[in-house]
PDB file of all heavy atoms in Angstrom:
ATOM      1  N   GLU A 212      13.627  -8.764  -0.498  1.00 98.00           N
ATOM      2  CA  GLU A 212      14.956  -9.198  -0.950  1.00 98.00           C
ATOM      3  C   GLU A 212      15.248  -9.045  -2.356  1.00 98.00           C
ATOM      4  O   GLU A 212      16.365  -8.727  -2.815  1.00 98.00           O
ATOM      5  CB  GLU A 212      15.115 -10.696  -0.522  1.00 98.00           C
ATOM      6  CG  GLU A 212      15.167 -10.977   0.976  1.00 98.00           C
ATOM      7  CD  GLU A 212      15.175 -12.454   1.338  1.00 98.00           C
ATOM      8  OE1 GLU A 212      15.182 -13.245   0.351  1.00 98.00           O
ATOM      9  OE2 GLU A 212      15.212 -12.808   2.534  1.00 98.00           O
ATOM     10  N   LEU A 213      14.241  -9.265  -3.195  1.00 98.00           N
ATOM     11  CA  LEU A 213      14.320  -9.055  -4.667  1.00 98.00           C
ATOM     12  C   LEU A 213      14.727  -7.584  -4.929  1.00 98.00           C
ATOM     13  O   LEU A 213      15.696  -7.405  -5.722  1.00 98.00           O
ATOM     14  CB  LEU A 213      12.930  -9.351  -5.326  1.00 98.00           C
ATOM     15  CG  LEU A 213      12.893  -9.087  -6.873  1.00 98.00           C
ATOM     16  CD1 LEU A 213      13.721 -10.114  -7.574  1.00 98.00           C
ATOM     17  CD2 LEU A 213      11.478  -9.119  -7.296  1.00 98.00           C
ATOM     18  N   TRP A 214      14.104  -6.609  -4.354  1.00 98.00           N
ATOM     19  CA  TRP A 214      14.437  -5.216  -4.646  1.00 98.00           C
ATOM     20  C   TRP A 214      15.807  -4.814  -4.064  1.00 98.00           C
ATOM     21  O   TRP A 214      16.515  -4.019  -4.655  1.00 98.00           O
ATOM     22  CB  TRP A 214      13.284  -4.323  -4.141  1.00 98.00           C
ATOM     23  CG  TRP A 214      12.137  -4.520  -5.069  1.00 98.00           C
ATOM     24  CD1 TRP A 214      10.991  -5.118  -4.806  1.00 98.00           C
ATOM     25  CD2 TRP A 214      11.950  -4.118  -6.447  1.00 98.00           C
ATOM     26  NE1 TRP A 214      10.104  -5.153  -5.857  1.00 98.00           N
ATOM     27  CE2 TRP A 214      10.736  -4.565  -6.866  1.00 98.00           C
ATOM     28  CE3 TRP A 214      12.817  -3.455  -7.330  1.00 98.00           C
ATOM     29  CZ2 TRP A 214      10.270  -4.332  -8.199  1.00 98.00           C
ATOM     30  CZ3 TRP A 214      12.399  -3.168  -8.599  1.00 98.00           C
ATOM     31  CH2 TRP A 214      11.185  -3.652  -9.026  1.00 98.00           C
ATOM     32  N   GLU A 215      16.061  -5.364  -2.888  1.00 98.00           N
ATOM     33  CA  GLU A 215      17.398  -5.015  -2.286  1.00 98.00           C
ATOM     34  C   GLU A 215      18.572  -5.506  -3.119  1.00 98.00           C
ATOM     35  O   GLU A 215      19.663  -4.991  -2.967  1.00 98.00           O
ATOM     36  CB  GLU A 215      17.411  -5.605  -0.851  1.00 98.00           C
ATOM     37  CG  GLU A 215      16.530  -4.967   0.078  1.00 98.00           C
ATOM     38  CD  GLU A 215      16.262  -5.745   1.472  1.00 98.00           C
ATOM     39  OE1 GLU A 215      16.828  -6.872   1.475  1.00 98.00           O
ATOM     40  OE2 GLU A 215      15.617  -5.208   2.320  1.00 98.00           O
ATOM     41  N   HIS A 216      18.347  -6.526  -3.881  1.00 98.00           N
ATOM     42  CA  HIS A 216      19.466  -7.058  -4.728  1.00 98.00           C
ATOM     43  C   HIS A 216      19.173  -6.810  -6.212  1.00 98.00           C
ATOM     44  O   HIS A 216      19.807  -7.441  -7.086  1.00 98.00           O
ATOM     45  CB  HIS A 216      19.571  -8.596  -4.573  1.00 98.00           C
ATOM     46  CG  HIS A 216      20.008  -8.963  -3.122  1.00 98.00           C
ATOM     47  ND1 HIS A 216      19.054  -9.185  -2.202  1.00 98.00           N
ATOM     48  CD2 HIS A 216      21.196  -9.077  -2.543  1.00 98.00           C
ATOM     49  CE1 HIS A 216      19.729  -9.471  -1.074  1.00 98.00           C
ATOM     50  NE2 HIS A 216      21.014  -9.410  -1.264  1.00 98.00           N
ATOM     51  N   SER A 217      18.304  -5.826  -6.512  1.00 97.00           N
ATOM     52  CA  SER A 217      17.853  -5.557  -7.931  1.00 97.00           C
ATOM     53  C   SER A 217      18.956  -4.806  -8.743  1.00 97.00           C
ATOM     54  O   SER A 217      18.896  -4.797  -9.952  1.00 97.00           O
ATOM     55  CB  SER A 217      16.532  -4.861  -7.984  1.00 97.00           C
ATOM     56  OG  SER A 217      16.698  -3.503  -7.364  1.00 97.00           O
ATOM     57  N   GLY A 218      19.753  -4.031  -7.997  1.00 97.00           N
ATOM     58  CA  GLY A 218      20.681  -3.104  -8.715  1.00 97.00           C
ATOM     59  C   GLY A 218      20.047  -1.802  -8.995  1.00 97.00           C
ATOM     60  O   GLY A 218      20.760  -0.872  -9.495  1.00 97.00           O
ATOM     61  N   LEU A 219      18.723  -1.571  -8.703  1.00 98.00           N
ATOM     62  CA  LEU A 219      18.081  -0.293  -8.830  1.00 98.00           C
ATOM     63  C   LEU A 219      18.091   0.390  -7.511  1.00 98.00           C
ATOM     64  O   LEU A 219      18.276  -0.203  -6.378  1.00 98.00           O
ATOM     65  CB  LEU A 219      16.619  -0.487  -9.346  1.00 98.00           C
ATOM     66  CG  LEU A 219      16.337  -0.695 -10.833  1.00 98.00           C
ATOM     67  CD1 LEU A 219      16.981  -1.878 -11.364  1.00 98.00           C
ATOM     68  CD2 LEU A 219      14.882  -0.659 -11.109  1.00 98.00           C
ATOM     69  N   GLU A 220      17.851   1.704  -7.511  1.00 98.00           N
ATOM     70  CA  GLU A 220      17.554   2.385  -6.252  1.00 98.00           C
ATOM     71  C   GLU A 220      16.191   2.002  -5.740  1.00 98.00           C
ATOM     72  O   GLU A 220      15.259   1.903  -6.546  1.00 98.00           O
ATOM     73  CB  GLU A 220      17.614   3.965  -6.449  1.00 98.00           C
ATOM     74  CG  GLU A 220      18.914   4.488  -6.857  1.00 98.00           C
ATOM     75  CD  GLU A 220      18.897   6.024  -6.952  1.00 98.00           C
ATOM     76  OE1 GLU A 220      17.881   6.649  -6.576  1.00 98.00           O
ATOM     77  OE2 GLU A 220      19.922   6.601  -7.393  1.00 98.00           O
ATOM     78  N   TRP A 221      16.101   1.703  -4.550  1.00 98.00           N
ATOM     79  CA  TRP A 221      14.796   1.208  -3.897  1.00 98.00           C
ATOM     80  C   TRP A 221      14.589   1.940  -2.614  1.00 98.00           C
ATOM     81  O   TRP A 221      15.539   2.217  -1.813  1.00 98.00           O
ATOM     82  CB  TRP A 221      14.855  -0.223  -3.724  1.00 98.00           C
ATOM     83  CG  TRP A 221      15.970  -0.834  -2.980  1.00 98.00           C
ATOM     84  CD1 TRP A 221      17.197  -1.247  -3.569  1.00 98.00           C
ATOM     85  CD2 TRP A 221      16.215  -0.910  -1.637  1.00 98.00           C
ATOM     86  NE1 TRP A 221      18.087  -1.611  -2.575  1.00 98.00           N
ATOM     87  CE2 TRP A 221      17.499  -1.514  -1.374  1.00 98.00           C
ATOM     88  CE3 TRP A 221      15.423  -0.617  -0.502  1.00 98.00           C
ATOM     89  CZ2 TRP A 221      17.988  -1.652  -0.012  1.00 98.00           C
ATOM     90  CZ3 TRP A 221      15.907  -0.794   0.753  1.00 98.00           C
ATOM     91  CH2 TRP A 221      17.165  -1.356   0.987  1.00 98.00           C
ATOM     92  N   THR A 222      13.242   2.014  -2.219  1.00 98.00           N
ATOM     93  CA  THR A 222      12.777   2.436  -0.896  1.00 98.00           C
ATOM     94  C   THR A 222      11.635   1.536  -0.555  1.00 98.00           C
ATOM     95  O   THR A 222      10.787   1.278  -1.308  1.00 98.00           O
ATOM     96  CB  THR A 222      12.373   3.969  -0.912  1.00 98.00           C
ATOM     97  OG1 THR A 222      13.333   4.731  -1.507  1.00 98.00           O
ATOM     98  CG2 THR A 222      11.999   4.400   0.501  1.00 98.00           C
ATOM     99  N   LEU A 223      11.666   1.055   0.665  1.00 98.00           N
ATOM    100  CA  LEU A 223      10.662   0.143   1.204  1.00 98.00           C
ATOM    101  C   LEU A 223       9.766   0.804   2.219  1.00 98.00           C
ATOM    102  O   LEU A 223      10.313   1.408   3.176  1.00 98.00           O
ATOM    103  CB  LEU A 223      11.186  -1.177   1.762  1.00 98.00           C
ATOM    104  CG  LEU A 223      12.110  -1.936   0.843  1.00 98.00           C
ATOM    105  CD1 LEU A 223      12.834  -3.108   1.646  1.00 98.00           C
ATOM    106  CD2 LEU A 223      11.348  -2.484  -0.345  1.00 98.00           C
ATOM    107  N   LEU A 224       8.464   0.820   1.966  1.00 98.00           N
ATOM    108  CA  LEU A 224       7.562   1.386   2.959  1.00 98.00           C
ATOM    109  C   LEU A 224       6.792   0.256   3.612  1.00 98.00           C
ATOM    110  O   LEU A 224       6.099  -0.579   2.958  1.00 98.00           O
ATOM    111  CB  LEU A 224       6.508   2.291   2.156  1.00 98.00           C
ATOM    112  CG  LEU A 224       7.060   3.395   1.350  1.00 98.00           C
ATOM    113  CD1 LEU A 224       5.930   4.305   0.744  1.00 98.00           C
ATOM    114  CD2 LEU A 224       8.099   4.274   2.063  1.00 98.00           C
TER     115      LEU A 224
END
Side-chain angles (χ1 to χ4, degrees):
E212 291 175 2
L213 175 71
W214 290 106
E215 289 167 353
H216 296 92
S217 67
L219 277 61
E220 293 184 8
W221 51 267
T222 305
L223 301 175
L224 305 184

